[in-house]
Amino acid sequence: MKNLYIKTFGCQMNEYDSKRVSHQLSSLGYSLNDDIGVADIIVLNTCSIRQKAEDKVYSMLGRLRPYKEKNPDLIIAVGGCVAQQVGKKILGRHRHVNLVFGTKNVLNLKKMIEKIEKTGGRYVDVGANVIRDDTIDEKMDGYMVGAKNSVTIIEGCNNFCAYCIVPYVRGRERSRPEERILHEVRTLIKHGAKEVTLLGQNVNSYKDAASSSSDFPKLLDKVAAIDGLERLRIMTSHPKDLTDELIDRFGAIDKLCNNIHLPVQSGSNSVLKSMNRNYTREDYLSKVEKLQKVCNNITISTDLIVGFPSESKKDFNDTLALLRQVRYISSFSFKYSVRPGTKAASFDDDVSNSEKSERLEELQTLQKKIQLEENKKLEKRVMEILVEGASKSGENMITGRTTCNRVVNFTGDESLTGKIVSVNIEESYLNSLLGKLV
Ligand code: SAH
Ligand code: SF4
Ligand code: F3S
């Protein structure tokens, strides 16, 4: 057996692609090994969402040089969003890299690696028109099926939010055929999966090109009808496309979990407008209200950007007020980072870095307070947890999630993995709860 080391830098779609990589390369005799020192192939699956993410890739590439000097047969492949964005310049600047492959070329990887194994050489594979074959092998070799899994249903993005590089590095929206998605979910379940998250930059615009009767709410109905699936989640929903029909599914489908990730980005209408988000603060809040009406236990999480060009102190305060109103159970918040080629790259990046840092700190402090208060409310409650496996929080501890997406750690046997169990919540923290099996 040869060893494959993968480092995944990006989002859940990136992680999904990494699983595809290990699945494909397992048929060439490579097995996943997290000891980089014994690797025969190193794959970097990169992310370009902010400048910092891109910089991390270059610094890791620098650290890989000694591995190649020690083992000249080592194959180094760079895939993902930085690879798509920067392309062959990576080969020019990093002589130890064998292959650069784009986000649309993941399923070509096996062929490319075979070629390098046989004849050596250095390649760039970032072409736009690769025909994808999304079928996965029933045996799922190298796939690492867990209690909870993700399935990409739509790739790319058409939204062109002014700050965002994703439409450039992932291309236009492409929905996978419905019947492939259903097949993949069934296969995962056969291998022990209990929970599935349907993934896309904007799952709401899912549409199977071959079927006029397919859209995202209907896909949800069909996935939920699969026997053996216990829980269903979706990620991510663009607020502008969150229709009443979709909102209703949160009441109607039992398996659909009581949580939605609904990135708001900003609470200021003028910032939302220049971000090209296509909704107002009022639109957003009215959707939140509808969600809470159809599913009264629903929790909401979000993404936020501070210091977008021309964001004033008042705009920022509108975001803080929105946080107080919605009371998110978690959030990812970032300082605005200029991305090459985006619309906002031509705006004046006029909020200073120190001002961005101050705003981020203030926002995160408020969010922490809200989060702790929300988690505190769960103490002494008995909650249903889908067990995901061993917990890093202590010996004999296992971990899982509530349907509302809180992480719960408790003492228990790993053999409970994949089971839904009742846990009494005893203590609450910022990012997790501590409980006792009942
Ligand atoms: N498709 C998802 C977001 C994917 S990117 C959506 O539409 O919401 C994840 C998050 O990164 C975004 O929600 C945004 O908050 C953040 N982000 C994207 N581009 C950014 C940039 N240039 N600077 C800072 N944060 C950014
Ligand atoms: Fe980026 Fe906007 Fe598309 Fe999300 S919806 S990936 S933020 S362009
Ligand atoms: Fe990053 Fe690409 Fe995902 S830029 S966030 S890995 S789509």
Side-chain angles (χ1 to χ4, degrees), residues 195-196 230-234 250 253-260 295 298-299 402-405:
E195 177 180 309
V196 164
E230 306 261 2
R231 287 182 175 186
L232 179 58
R233 297 185 193 272
I234 63 175
F250 280 90
I253 303 178
D254 279 346
K255 291 179 187 177
L256 189 58
C257 288
N258 296 345
N259 170 260
I260 184 168
C295 177
I298 202 162
T299 60
T402 62
T403 163
C404 64
N405 213 23

Side-chain angles (χ1 to χ4, degrees), residues 106-242:
V106 177
L107 298 172
N108 249 359
L109 187 63
K110 182 178 159 187
K111 223 172 55 199
M112 298 302 294
I113 296 292
E114 262 179 320
K115 191 148 93 178
I116 294 170
E117 280 180 333
K118 279 196 196 111
T119 55
R122 304 174 73 224
Y123 301 94
V124 185
D125 189 21
V126 292
N129 293 317
V130 178
I131 297 167
R132 294 195 63 136
D133 173 11
D134 277 314
T135 27
I136 46 168
D137 187 330
E138 293 280 340
K139 290 198 302 256
M140 301 291 268
D141 288 337
Y143 203 89
M144 300 286 192
V145 184
K148 94 186 180 106
N149 294 271
S150 301
V151 173
T152 293
I153 62 163
I154 177 168
E155 307 211 35
C157 185
N158 292 352
N159 288 311
F160 291 93
C161 301
Y163 49 82
C164 186
I165 201 166
V166 170
Y168 305 90
V169 293
R170 291 259 167 187
R172 292 300 76 70
E173 284 173 357
R174 290 141 356 249
S175 291
R176 288 179 67 198
E178 185 177 272
E179 131 284 311
R180 294 260 177 84
I181 295 166
L182 297 175
H183 173 77
E184 189 163 323
V185 174
R186 286 191 207 103
T187 310
L188 286 166
I189 287 170
K190 249 187 251 162
H191 286 80
K194 302 288 175 194
E195 177 180 309
V196 164
T197 302
L198 303 180
L199 289 183
Q201 295 300 347
N202 180 17
V203 288
N204 302 355
S205 45
Y206 175 81
K207 199 150 197 54
D208 182 342
S211 150
S212 56
S213 67
S214 110
D215 62 16
F216 187 55
K218 293 196 186 78
L219 179 71
L220 281 180
D221 294 339
K222 289 177 194 168
V223 174
I226 295 177
D227 273 345
L229 180 74
E230 306 261 2
R231 287 182 175 186
L232 179 58
R233 297 185 193 272
I234 63 175
M235 176 101 172
T236 304
S237 269
H238 193 305
K240 80 173 162 55
D241 300 317
L242 184 63

Side-chain angles (χ1 to χ4, degrees), residues 10-14 46-49 81 165-166 169-170 201:
C11 61
Q12 294 195 359
M13 316 223 7
N14 217 221
T46 64
C47 174
S48 188
I49 198 76
C81 295
I165 201 166
V166 170
V169 293
R170 291 259 167 187
Q201 295 300 347

Side-chain angles (χ1 to χ4, degrees), residues 235-357:
M235 176 101 172
T236 304
S237 269
H238 193 305
K240 80 173 162 55
D241 300 317
L242 184 63
T243 59
D244 287 350
E245 201 192 349
L246 180 53
I247 289 174
D248 285 341
R249 293 306 194 276
F250 280 90
I253 303 178
D254 279 346
K255 291 179 187 177
L256 189 58
C257 288
N258 296 345
N259 170 260
I260 184 168
H261 189 68
L262 202 58
V264 68
Q265 312 301 354
S266 167
S268 149
N269 279 336
S270 69
V271 173
L272 286 171
K273 188 154 200 291
S274 65
M275 283 178 165
N276 193 31
R277 288 291 285 178
N278 282 304
Y279 54 83
T280 61
R281 172 195 181 93
E282 293 73 27
D283 296 334
Y284 183 91
L285 288 171
S286 107
K287 292 189 185 193
V288 167
E289 207 174 291
K290 282 185 189 167
L291 280 163
Q292 289 164 337
K293 202 175 276 166
V294 299
C295 177
N296 58 359
N297 292 322
I298 202 162
T299 60
I300 302 171
S301 49
T302 204
D303 293 346
L304 296 146
I305 296 175
V306 300
F308 188 73
S310 81
E311 184 189 69
S312 66
K313 198 74 198 175
K314 175 176 179 309
D315 293 320
F316 174 64
N317 284 333
D318 287 347
T319 302
L320 297 181
L322 182 102
L323 250 59
R324 288 191 199 96
Q325 192 168 345
V326 179
R327 297 188 68 81
Y328 295 106
I329 64 146
S330 71
S331 80
F332 296 103
S333 44
F334 312 97
K335 291 195 270 186
Y336 168 66
S337 162
V338 182
R339 304 312 291 130
T342 60
K343 182 153 182 252
S346 65
F347 302 168
D348 187 12
D349 186 15
D350 56 358
V351 180
S352 69
N353 188 45
S354 64
E355 181 64 27
K356 283 179 187 164
S357 301

